[in-house]
Amino acid sequence: MGNSSSASLPYKISPTPTTPASSPQSHGWAIYSATRKTDNGPVTAFQASKAELARTPLRKNPSLNQLIPALHHFHRIKRLIHPRILRAHATLDTDYPSSATGSDAPSASSSSAAPGLDALHQSATTGTLIIVTEEATPLDDWLDSLDPTSPAANSAAISWGLY
């Protein structure tokens, strides 16, 4: 993730993804381990190439691509706070680095600000979207790490409805 724009985020992001964007369940988003620069606390970074999202068709409607839904999510996740949904600590669109959000990120008062939700179709499609959240583990990885003979694993799977 050696993009110079991502260096402006108050997080140190691993250069190697834990889940590459090309994996079947990733939907174009690579998942990286990361830490806060202030206290080395663990976080997770999601990165997607806007050009790749623009080339990837939606499963339910192949005539549309994944870029507009990804941009919509990118704009909404900044304001979404819910106890059962990952909290976004920072976001960055490398086409519009001055619009980054986060505890140490600059304000979005630049003339080159990213288009709002009503103008997503006008967004540049050359950069990268980065979302930094609280630490997360993909469900497939978590399930693979469970010992199926363990009572704790069985109760966890039942509580998630995965039996």
Side-chain angles (χ1 to χ4, degrees), residues 13-111:
I13 301 172
S14 168
T16 307
T18 55
T19 303
S22 59
S23 72
Q25 287 78 25
S26 74
H27 302 284
W29 291 84
I31 303 173
Y32 293 83
S33 296
T35 57
R36 285 187 293 274
K37 289 180 181 175
T38 55
D39 65 357
N40 287 330
V43 294
T44 299
F46 296 83
Q47 174 188 333
S49 162
K50 292 193 319 186
E52 187 62 35
L53 291 173
R55 287 190 298 268
T56 307
L58 287 174
R59 288 184 187 169
K60 292 184 179 181
N61 187 349
S63 65
L64 300 174
N65 64 49
Q66 290 190 6
L67 181 59
I68 297 299
L71 288 169
H72 187 268
H73 175 72
F74 179 81
H75 286 281
R76 292 282 188 203
I77 192 71
K78 296 181 244 183
R79 294 185 286 290
L80 184 63
I81 298 173
H82 188 278
R84 306 257 189 297
I85 297 176
L86 284 177
R87 182 175 186 130
H89 295 305
T91 60
L92 175 67
D93 182 341
T94 59
D95 283 332
Y96 307 100
S98 62
S99 296
T101 65
S103 57
D104 298 335
S107 67
S109 62
S110 169
S111 61

Side-chain angles (χ1 to χ4, degrees), residues 110-135:
S110 169
S111 61
S112 65
L117 283 174
D118 55 344
L120 289 179
H121 64 282
Q122 297 172 357
S123 178
T125 59
T126 57
T128 301
L129 298 174
I130 301 170
I131 300 173
V132 179
T133 68
E134 60 190 315
E135 187 177 26

Side-chain angles (χ1 to χ4, degrees), residues 135-148:
E135 187 177 26
T137 302
L139 182 58
D140 285 339
D141 294 349
W142 183 78
L143 291 173
D144 289 343
S145 70
L146 289 179
D147 175 9

